[in-house]
Amino acid sequence: MAALCRRFTGFHFLLVLVSLSISSLVFGDWIGDDEGEQFTEELLLKPLPDRKVLAHFHFQSTAHPSPDSGHHHHLFPKAIAQLIWNRAPCDAVGHFMVQKFQIRDLELSFTQGRWNYENWGGSDPISSTNAKPPGVELWATFNVPVVEIDTTWKNLTHALSGLFCSSINFLESSTSYTTPSFVFGLNVSNIRYGALPREAVCTENLTPWLKLLPCRDKAGLATLLDRPSIYKGYYHSQKLRLTSTKLSGIILEQTLTIVLQPNIQRNSAHSLLDGAIQPSWSISSMFKRNLTGSCVLARTSRILVELEKNIVSKLEELGHGGSWSNSLLDLSPNPFRVIKEVNPFPEESNSILFEYVNSKEYEPLDVGIKWKLPFVWSSPHAPFHASRFLMGSGTERGSIAISLQSTKSDEYFRSKSNECRMQAVVFQVVPWYVKVYYHTLQIFIDQKLQNLSDVIEKIRVTPSEDKKLPGTLELVLGYPCTVQSVALTLDFDKGFLHIHEYPPDANQGFDIPSALVTFPNLHSSRIYIGDDSSVHSPLLLKFQEKNVVLSYTEVLLVPFTTPDFSMPYNVITFTCTVLALYFGSLLNVLRRRIGEEERLMRSKDANKRGLIPSIVSKITSKLRGMPGSKPLLIFAVVLSVLFHYIVN
């Protein structure tokens, strides 16, 4: 018995040692080891001027380069690893890795709604990196020879389409993607860009996106992603950014940007005031869920609440500074620390971030703001607001106009001289059936026609080819900073399509993807100070990058001449009716036997009796055998003949 106990004790001790070693290896690589894989989750909340709230989720997974990359992963999603890496045979030195699609950079976004640059901002890091056009947008750069880029792009679109349950595979056609030259600032020929403006975004795209997270939506900040709360918002954009280098390995950024309308409570004392007062909100009231604990695999899990500089300026006027509980608003619970922005203009106020650490597993963290006084402010705008619209009437031809209107935001030109010039890069892709005449390009500055050579600094035009290539326009504009408006116009004709080239809802029209306008001389970087907060915050490090200020225009809906799609149905029904009548009559004639039918009719006529013989036979049968029936019989026969004569 003692030996048996010693045997079990040794076995249990061995199990404990094995479990400790495995846990030290695995969790050491997951959480504690800086050279292993890492995962962080962050949430940024920001009140917007139009009584809405911005919620920006940021998840980042990092896989540092190692011999096992692409084969063994603890935190990095296996689907993305298999999408990029593919193991090659070992060489004489040791292991050797190649990339499956040779991806250097990749960005994929699914967007529902359009970012409101006037009310939600146009020069902050969120609007410059996460404001995307409606539908699907995909661009990628490859490290393959030029002759293999198109094939690699097609294979990539099919892989992403199956991974995210979407129609990205429609971008495989050469009529759906193009090769930008300098709009993304890369100036390389190994980039491909495509967009599907009519792609519907639904929960079928969000579920695969959440499965890429280590804890999915079962723990951490992802538990707040309630589907009805997300899709009833005014704006929803989920983005996946993938960067692969030999030094840093693979960095996967998953962001979800949502603009929500808080529930307005009418039981406050200010409910009878005008719409200037902001509605109070909290995490539980917006997402209909409580946040309890973080993902155990996350290195950091935090929530940031941002107050823009105009709100901070109002607080400074009231004498509260960076206080989170004052006469204007009340932020609850108390933040872990306050992070301030470094502004290059000392005379202006800076934005403030209040940080919350999401670490308690049993106590819900319900961050919210309660407004006490009405307050109106505006978000920082880009120097020019971009928009696009159609001109002309009819179904044969028209014009595309791109307008840049000054927002009178002089903060960008404060340190410039009076002779400063603004640069704007315009990138526009049109389908091949919209035949743009690029020689009709006209540019108006302050409603005055300009000479093209005086405004255009660089231009690249790729004419469209029927059923082969879309048309692409890239041009760099240079104009004085003090102008109020810049407008571009282009004439086009509407082509004719085959009946099978029309979409199912052809009467709705055809969508032209959003145009992209960037300002390469302006950047939306922000630098924060406060106990080295940005060192372990990928989101704040992302804000410090010099992101170019950009703006997407509206999606254009171009009506086309559509054929009568009911005509094939009418032709089919009419033809089938004629054939049925013809073949029915023909089969009737072929199967009918006329001679036999005539003989049958004659036999029926011969066997048929008349009316008088029938009556006489019946009467005679009744009177036959009766005494003295002969006179009665004669009388009945005469009466029957007279009746028949009178009736006829």
Side-chain angles (χ1 to χ4, degrees):
M1 189 67 181
L4 183 61
C5 293
R6 285 194 301 270
R7 185 184 307 171
F8 277 101
T9 304
F11 179 74
H12 291 166
F13 182 73
L14 180 61
L15 285 179
V16 170
L17 288 179
V18 172
S19 62
L20 288 176
S21 60
I22 293 176
S23 62
S24 63
L25 289 175
V26 174
F27 288 99
D29 290 339
W30 283 352
I31 302 176
D33 191 2
D34 293 339
E35 298 181 356
E37 299 179 10
Q38 298 178 5
F39 172 72
T40 59
E41 56 179 8
E42 295 174 287
L43 170 60
L44 175 67
L45 300 173
K46 184 174 72 171
L48 298 176
D50 57 347
R51 304 168 60 82
K52 298 179 180 61
V53 178
L54 170 69
H56 177 70
F57 294 83
H58 185 273
F59 307 95
Q60 179 169 311
S61 302
T62 305
H64 293 282
S66 64
D68 294 331
S69 295
H71 190 70
H72 299 290
H73 288 283
H74 302 300
L75 295 177
F76 200 84
K78 186 177 180 181
I80 300 298
Q82 292 177 346
L83 186 67
I84 295 182
W85 298 101
N86 187 18
R87 180 171 291 278
C90 297
D91 56 7
V93 179
H95 53 270
F96 177 72
M97 300 297 298
V98 297
Q99 297 180 4
K100 185 176 182 180
F101 292 110
Q102 298 287 328
I103 297 175
R104 183 189 305 170
D105 292 301
L106 181 145
E107 185 173 295
L108 173 64
S109 63
F110 297 86
T111 306
Q112 176 181 340
R114 184 175 181 270
W115 183 266
N116 192 338
Y117 291 94
E118 296 180 355
N119 295 328
W120 304 341
S123 62
D124 58 300
I126 296 294
S127 61
S128 299
T129 57
N130 294 93
K132 294 299 177 180
V136 171
E137 184 190 44
L138 172 66
W139 64 267
T141 57
F142 304 93
N143 288 325
V144 297
V146 178
V147 295
E148 300 179 5
I149 292 179
D150 292 336
T151 303
T152 307
W153 168 265
K154 293 179 181 179
N155 296 334
L156 176 64
T157 56
H158 281 273
L160 293 175
S161 178
L163 182 61
F164 292 100
C165 300
S166 62
S167 304
I168 306 177
N169 57 318
F170 287 170
L171 294 176
E172 70 166 352
S173 175
S174 60
T175 60
S176 302
Y177 65 89
T178 185
T179 305
S181 292
F182 47 83
V183 64
F184 290 100
L186 301 176
N187 197 18
V188 292
S189 60
N190 57 353
I191 184 175
R192 293 294 182 269
Y193 174 88
L196 298 174
R198 195 174 288 191
E199 179 73 10
V201 183
C202 61
T203 184
E204 294 180 355
N205 310 123
L206 181 61
T207 301
W209 186 85
L210 291 173
K211 288 183 178 180
L212 300 178
L213 302 176
C215 296
R216 299 191 178 184
D217 57 348
K218 306 302 180 183
L221 297 177
T223 58
L224 300 176
L225 300 180
D226 179 50
R227 292 353 183 236
S229 301
I230 293 175
Y231 289 103
K232 75 176 182 181
Y234 289 83
Y235 178 81
H236 162 263
S237 178
Q238 62 184 64
K239 190 184 74 170
L240 183 143
R241 178 67 186 271
L242 189 63
T243 305
S244 175
T245 60
K246 294 182 179 180
L247 297 178
S248 60
I250 310 175
I251 300 177
L252 174 64
E253 296 180 19
Q254 295 177 249
T255 60
L256 180 62
T257 307
I258 315 169
V259 177
L260 301 173
Q261 175 67 60
N263 296 326
I264 301 177
Q265 301 177 359
R266 296 295 182 181
N267 55 359
S268 63
H270 303 283
S271 59
L272 299 179
L273 297 177
D274 55 6
I277 189 171
Q278 295 289 324
S280 301
W281 53 267
S282 62
I283 291 180
S284 60
S285 64
M286 290 191 302
F287 296 100
K288 304 298 186 293
R289 293 183 179 181
N290 295 324
L291 179 61
T292 55
S294 62
C295 176
V296 296
L297 304 177
R299 182 173 183 178
T300 58
S301 178
R302 70 185 71 189
I303 298 177
L304 301 172
V305 179
E306 180 182 0
L307 297 181
E308 295 182 348
K309 61 180 182 180
N310 292 332
I311 303 178
V312 177
S313 176
K314 180 64 175 180
L315 293 177
E316 292 177 351
E317 292 179 4
L318 298 175
H320 301 297
S323 174
W324 57 81
S325 180
N326 46 68
S327 60
L328 179 63
L329 55 87
D330 188 5
L331 181 64
S332 62
N334 296 337
F336 176 72
R337 61 179 170 180
V338 180
I339 306 174
K340 296 184 179 181
E341 178 193 3
V342 179
N343 198 324
F345 304 105
E347 67 276 4
E348 285 192 354
S349 301
N350 304 327
S351 62
I352 294 179
L353 292 175
F354 300 97
E355 181 183 356
Y356 296 86
V357 179
N358 180 27
S359 59
K360 297 181 180 180
E361 298 182 2
Y362 303 102
E363 182 179 352
L365 180 58
D366 194 12
V367 180
I369 292 180
K370 181 180 179 181
W371 294 87
K372 300 178 181 179
L373 296 176
F375 179 62
V376 179
W377 77 96
S378 61
S379 298
H381 298 94
F384 289 87
H385 175 68
S387 61
R388 187 177 61 167
F389 52 90
L390 291 176
M391 297 189 304
S393 60
T395 57
E396 296 182 3
R397 58 186 60 89
S399 299
I400 300 177
I402 299 177
S403 175
L404 302 178
Q405 296 291 333
S406 176
T407 58
K408 300 180 180 180
S409 178
D410 58 346
E411 57 181 304
Y412 298 98
F413 318 121
R414 194 168 304 170
S415 60
K416 305 290 184 179
S417 61
N418 295 330
E419 298 180 357
C420 74
R421 291 182 64 83
M422 173 66 65
Q423 273 193 343
V425 181
V426 180
F427 173 67
Q428 180 174 247
V429 181
V430 294
W432 64 268
Y433 44 78
V434 179
K435 304 181 184 301
V436 179
Y437 298 107
Y438 294 100
H439 69 280
T440 62
L441 174 63
Q442 292 182 337
I443 300 179
F444 298 85
I445 294 182
D446 292 337
Q447 300 180 357
K448 295 181 180 179
L449 183 62
Q450 303 292 321
N451 190 2
L452 297 181
S453 59
D454 297 337
V455 182
I456 298 178
E457 299 180 358
K458 189 177 181 181
I459 186 172
R460 177 180 177 269
V461 175
T462 303
S464 61
E465 297 184 22
D466 289 351
K467 304 180 182 181
K468 291 184 179 181
L469 292 175
T472 306
L473 172 65
E474 293 180 88
L475 70 160
V476 179
L477 303 178
Y479 51 88
C481 301
T482 56
V483 302
Q484 298 299 318
S485 65
V486 180
L488 292 77
T489 61
L490 286 166
D491 298 337
F492 66 89
D493 283 346
K494 302 176 183 180
F496 291 94
L497 302 178
H498 195 269
I499 188 171
H500 73 272
E501 295 174 339
Y502 285 90
D505 51 349
N507 292 313
Q508 178 183 349
F510 290 79
D511 292 323
I512 297 181
S514 300
L516 176 61
V517 180
T518 63
F519 303 95
N521 295 337
L522 305 178
H523 301 88
S524 60
S525 61
R526 289 186 179 179
I527 301 176
Y528 296 93
I529 57 175
D531 301 334
D532 297 332
S533 58
S534 61
V535 175
H536 302 292
S537 176
L539 179 60
L540 297 184
L541 289 176
K542 194 71 178 178
F543 285 175
Q544 294 182 11
E545 297 179 0
K546 290 187 176 181
N547 300 308
V548 177
V549 176
L550 55 86
S551 176
Y552 285 93
T553 64
E554 301 86 351
V555 175
L556 292 182
L557 183 62
V558 182
F560 264 65
T561 303
T562 56
D564 185 5
F565 292 101
S566 64
M567 183 58 67
Y569 172 77
N570 297 334
V571 172
I572 292 174
T573 54
F574 180 76
T575 304
C576 291
T577 303
V578 172
L579 292 178
L581 293 175
Y582 172 75
F583 283 102
S585 303
L586 180 61
L587 292 176
N588 189 17
V589 172
L590 293 177
R591 293 181 68 253
R592 178 175 295 178
R593 300 178 181 179
I594 301 178
E596 184 176 352
E597 291 180 357
E598 290 180 353
R599 289 193 300 271
L600 181 61
M601 292 297 295
R602 284 195 295 268
S603 63
K604 288 182 179 180
D605 292 340
N607 296 330
K608 185 177 181 181
R609 294 182 179 184
L611 178 60
I612 296 177
S614 300
I615 296 175
V616 172
S617 61
K618 289 182 179 180
I619 294 175
T620 54
S621 62
K622 294 290 185 180
L623 298 177
R624 188 177 293 114
M626 295 178 61
S629 60
K630 188 173 181 180
L632 294 175
L633 181 60
I634 296 173
F635 177 75
V637 171
V638 174
L639 185 62
S640 299
V641 172
L642 291 175
F643 177 78
H644 180 70
Y645 178 77
I646 293 172
V647 172
N648 295 329

